[in-house]
Amino acid sequence: MNPMSAAKFMERKHRIVVIGGGPGGYEAALAGAQLGAEVTIVEASGMGGSAVLTDVVPSKALIASAEAATAISDAEELGVQFYVRDDHNNPRSSEVTVNLTKLNQRILRLAQNQSDDMRRNLKDHGVRIIEGYGRLDHGGVAVATSPGGTDFDRLEYDYLVVAVGASPRELDSAKPDGERILTWKQLYNLSTLPEHLIVVGSGVTGAEFASAYRALGSEVTLISSRDRVLPGEDTDAADVIEEVFKRGGMNVLSRTRAESVVRDGDEVVATLSDGTEVRGSHCLMAVGSIPNTEGLGLEDAGVELTESGHIRVNRVARTSVPNIYAAGDCTSFFPLASVASAQGRTAVFHALGDQVRPIGLRNVASNIFTYPEIATVGWQQKDIEEGTREGSVYKIDLASNPRAKMQGFRDGFVKLIADNNLGTIIGGVIVAPRASELVLALSIAIEQRLTVDEFASSWAVYPSLSGSIVDASRAMHVVDRNA
């Protein structure tokens, strides 16, 4: 939309109400303010929502500390040794210790600082912020001071964006108590490192926390009901992570289910499907999440939900009600903070008639913050093997990369997927330290429809981990038969 038409369109300020201040709601509010709308955002817990305060930011900060512990532990292989002096000034080998109280204080401080920055940015852009709980109410939004409260103010809107997120799933057979049986939101209240952490669930959340706490020094038992950890990921990538887990001393129990987890004094007892008991000091329940849509009045307003309670949205984040949009983990889309942010922007741009590009989930890059990390984007090897998409796959191990050798990295690989016609890059997997940074190059290649030959003509620094991506693209060279 050009400036003149945008100005005409916005002659009357459109009223946008956003329920939820997570990544989706935050970006929706900023986009609305950018386009000149009158924006009100309703959030009870603090700007950033659970993503910033109890989920993404805290967990990745914890993982950063775990990476530091791993780097120190592996430093001797690089010729770097740490010593302390005894009372007689003699050198003695030191060991890595973790001050969990200080670590968690830092994590919560970082999360609060990020939340404060987001709040400040919204206010600077003229967004009205209301602390409270919002629900749909006869064409408007009722805002109460407590969930389901009857003392409320009413907001009118032209367009509504629902971005209420999701919460950890709780099982009656393993009820969290906040002390020994925990959800991922409750880990940051611990003052001492778990002596033996049992992790139930080997998906992304379970794998990330299992990896982090093992690196920090806890004994870890990971209980997986599937054949391997990370069952939804690239098989080669999951195999690498499981091998790293086991080599690092983690006890991985596959093809078994935790039927119950109960507290026994200062211990927890997980009873498995075969009757075996696993005892530990703490248990993390990582068995998925549920959308925070109950009690919002969505169905009464005509908003269609899935059986799981997620809000059905299309590629521009629109619900079954024309002037109601939704973003983030409460929707039927991909549960990633980056996707939530894109949904929030897309929703408002579409509502206010600005230029919008529907979200294509196929090209969304995702990352698992284990050590090493797993980054994926685009079509995957299983799609090629199952005949869903035609293409070729090439994999190069990180062990052959000179920079990896210098830094002592021996686990991981780069995998490219290209179509069989022009060699256009359509997907990829990177398993490496900081794979989350490396995958951007592949994301750009896929979005710009670059061929392997075009990508191979780019310059990678030597030596660098990114050089393996270029090497893989060179290995997939498409011969021009007409030349």
Side-chain angles (χ1 to χ4, degrees), residues 205-273:
T205 300
E208 287 185 345
F209 279 112
S211 177
Y213 276 94
R214 183 69 195 110
L216 291 172
S218 293
E219 179 183 351
V220 174
T221 296
L222 179 61
I223 300 174
S224 172
S225 62
R226 307 291 286 274
D227 292 342
R228 54 182 172 82
V229 301
L230 298 169
E233 300 302 316
D234 176 87
T235 301
D236 291 334
D239 286 345
V240 169
I241 297 304
E242 185 161 337
E243 166 60 27
V244 171
F245 281 1
K246 291 178 177 179
R247 192 174 67 225
M250 188 185 301
N251 183 23
V252 180
L253 302 179
S254 301
R255 295 183 295 279
T256 188
R257 186 181 300 275
E259 296 293 343
S260 68
V261 181
V262 296
R263 183 169 176 173
D264 183 13
D266 289 337
E267 290 187 319
V268 292
V269 182
T271 302
L272 308 184
S273 51

Side-chain angles (χ1 to χ4, degrees), residues 8-58:
K8 184 176 181 181
F9 180 77
M10 298 301 293
E11 284 178 359
R12 179 182 73 81
K13 278 184 174 291
H14 286 77
R15 297 166 301 176
I16 296 177
V17 174
V18 181
I19 304 178
Y26 173 74
E27 290 292 344
L30 284 181
Q34 182 181 13
L35 293 181
E38 180 183 288
V39 183
T40 300
I41 188 167
V42 180
E43 169 59 52
S45 302
M47 282 306 116
S50 61
V52 168
L53 294 170
T54 60
D55 190 359
V56 181
V57 171

Side-chain angles (χ1 to χ4, degrees), residues 69-91:
T70 299
I72 294 172
S73 299
D74 293 344
E76 188 170 355
E77 184 180 337
L78 305 183
V80 178
Q81 296 175 301
F82 296 86
Y83 291 100
V84 293
R85 299 283 179 177
D86 62 17
D87 294 339
H88 302 288
N89 204 33
N90 296 316

